[in-house]
Amino acid sequence: MAGLNIDMRTDFASVHFKMSDGPFKAMSKGMERTSGEIMARAIKEVLREEMSKTQSDLKRDAGPKLRYMANQVADSLIVEVGNNQNNEAEVRFGSDPIDSGGTEGSRGGKLAAMLEYGVRPFEYGFTFKTIKNSPSWGSIGGGFINAKGTGNQVHKGFEPLDWLSKTRDRAAPKIEIRIQQALQEAYA
């Protein structure tokens, strides 16, 4: 390594090496300052590469009943990069806005979480009914009321798509390799 202070001398029956660790300390401090950023960049690259695969998988796996939700989530995917106070790599992947649980449906549900974990069957609290006006029910225009439906008013739910877990599992081995390559290139 260039810049190392190595002192070598030979006496009667031995060879003595003496080396200053100053250059190693300087290199170590430089690595400490920049390693988090280098790792974050490597992770970001892998996740950006995985994003298009995740988007197409989401749209393909959703089927016709979940297609709208899947399109909303797929179109909202982002990769965010930052460093925390300890200079550790901090990279987040998910549905924007990540901090509030991702994209929301029209009724407030977190679509990304629903597609990841699925939805158990549930009973509707009420159903919407449109009633046509008649002489006994108002005389002007159409009517709209909330009315409890008869019979079995149950949402069937749906199985999880595990879109986020699949992305994590695909990306993890690539991330490890990419970090090793990035650090080696930076400090070679």
Side-chain angles (χ1 to χ4, degrees), residues 102-156:
T103 187
E104 262 186 31
S106 59
R107 297 185 189 121
K110 300 299 182 177
L111 302 181
M114 286 190 248
L115 290 175
E116 174 69 13
Y117 302 109
V119 173
R120 289 185 286 184
F122 61 90
E123 229 178 276
Y124 291 111
F126 57 86
T127 58
F128 293 104
K129 300 284 183 183
T130 301
I131 300 173
K132 291 184 180 180
N133 283 344
S134 66
S136 63
W137 180 264
S139 59
I140 303 173
F144 180 79
I145 64 167
N146 288 335
K148 178 78 172 154
T150 58
N152 191 8
Q153 300 292 324
V154 175
H155 184 282
K156 294 179 183 177

Side-chain angles (χ1 to χ4, degrees), residues 10-14 16:
T10 308
D11 65 13
F12 178 66
S14 62
H16 299 266

